[in-house]
Amino acid sequence: MESGVFTKAIKRVDRWLDLVFFAGWEVSVLVIPTLWMLLAATPPEAVSLSGMTALVVSAAAVGTYRGQYVSTGSWPRPGHLPTLPLRSAYYSLVVGGTSLLGAAVQVHSGWFWAGIVVPAIVVTGALALLPTVVERVERTAKFTL
């Protein structure tokens, strides 16, 4: 492998890790109220497994989508204040909903891995829709003004 190709690959992976790190920070901070509510959800073992999966996969998905490694549309910057309330609500819905969904499927099926597989799949798909949701909310807000 050429050193130039190797260097480009390293830079691409380094950029992705940087995006995932800051996406993890963003998602974790914006869903704090939801995480507090999940503390009361039962059974705690199933909810915590699905919740941790949802947080980890959310960070990876947001970093991947925002970096255009998989194109899903134009993602708002982490510090974009006009979309902050929408991102907070959307991330909270995704993380909270998939945590409860994964826990319910795990308890109902008795299959431990459902608490990991279900949130991972649903989070990945739901977060891919965020640019579309932001665009439609912005369009609706401009229409109503």
Side-chain angles (χ1 to χ4, degrees):
M1 183 182 274
E2 270 183 42
S3 70
V5 173
F6 184 70
T7 302
K8 285 181 183 178
I10 293 293
K11 286 183 179 183
R12 189 167 163 86
V13 169
D14 185 51
R15 179 176 174 266
W16 180 76
L17 289 172
D18 190 51
L19 287 166
V20 168
F21 172 78
F22 286 105
W25 179 87
E26 173 187 5
V27 171
S28 296
V29 168
L30 293 179
V31 302
I32 286 174
T34 300
L35 295 176
W36 275 102
M37 286 188 270
L38 287 175
L39 286 173
T42 57
E45 301 82 12
V47 173
S48 63
L49 175 65
S50 293
M52 182 56 81
T53 301
L55 282 172
V56 170
V57 173
S58 292
V62 171
T64 301
Y65 297 151
R66 186 172 277 143
Q68 296 294 311
Y69 291 94
V70 175
S71 182
T72 60
S74 178
W75 271 74
R77 294 178 326 275
H80 190 243
L81 291 178
T83 60
L84 185 67
L86 178 60
R87 285 182 293 135
S88 179
Y90 196 80
Y91 294 158
S92 292
L93 181 65
V94 169
V95 170
T98 57
S99 298
L100 296 175
L101 177 64
V105 172
Q106 179 184 353
V107 168
H108 181 70
S109 70
W111 187 49
F112 170 83
W113 290 100
I116 297 171
V117 173
V118 170
I121 291 170
V122 177
V123 161
T124 304
L127 288 175
L129 299 174
L130 180 71
T132 304
V133 171
V134 169
E135 178 186 325
R136 289 188 179 170
V137 167
E138 287 176 344
R139 192 175 335 135
T140 302
K142 288 178 185 174
F143 179 73
T144 58
L145 292 178

